[in-house]
Amino acid sequence: VQLQASGGGLVQPGESLTLSCTCSKRTFAMGWFRQGPGPEREFVASISWPGTKTEYADSAKGRFAISRDNTYGTVYLQMNSLKPEDTAVYYCAARAIQTTSRKSSEYTFWGQGTLVTVSS
């Protein structure tokens, strides 16, 4: 299984950015995690197959939206009202079980990460 993430970049506070992740297995549940300066990889959002359920971290609720295009096996993370504390490497992940999960240990496959920097 291969995952390819893209869409990171440098934005100013308050701006928006959309991350994409294409998975070679279209029927997997998908998640986004991020890793800032600390050692922990933090949960951001998750979406089930085929997309009927989503979960968000408290820090993402109301600002971020996860969605998927099942035709192409692509998952998106729309990030709005970005803050400097959102700065991190964002990773997409996939798991064969089709329900959402907040736990990084429950994801088997990981993309390479894409850097998001929020700074003025």
Side-chain angles (χ1 to χ4, degrees):
V1 176
Q2 295 183 330
L3 287 83
Q4 183 68 42
S6 62
L10 172 63
V11 296
Q12 295 188 348
E15 293 187 339
S16 298
L17 199 63
T18 300
L19 306 182
S20 301
C21 177
T22 300
C23 181
S24 59
K25 291 289 188 181
R26 291 183 294 167
T27 60
F28 285 11
M30 301 285 291
W32 285 98
F33 292 78
R34 66 187 184 186
Q35 187 155 14
E40 298 293 326
R41 190 167 291 188
E42 177 189 14
F43 168 74
V44 178
S46 179
I47 188 166
S48 65
W49 168 265
T52 51
K53 184 179 178 184
T54 58
E55 283 192 80
Y56 294 94
D58 288 344
S59 59
K61 285 180 183 176
R63 297 190 301 128
F64 294 3
I66 189 170
S67 61
R68 65 189 303 157
D69 182 337
N70 295 330
T71 302
Y72 300 103
T74 302
V75 174
Y76 302 97
L77 185 68
Q78 172 69 43
M79 303 185 293
N80 301 317
S81 302
L82 282 162
K83 305 174 183 179
E85 51 263 44
D86 295 317
T87 295
V89 177
Y90 284 70
Y91 296 89
C92 63
R95 67 194 216 118
I97 299 173
Q98 296 175 345
T99 55
T100 60
S101 175
R102 296 172 173 264
K103 299 180 180 179
S104 59
S105 60
E106 295 186 353
Y107 290 82
T108 307
F109 307 102
W110 291 83
Q112 82 283 10
T114 184
L115 177 62
V116 173
T117 303
V118 184
S119 175
S120 56

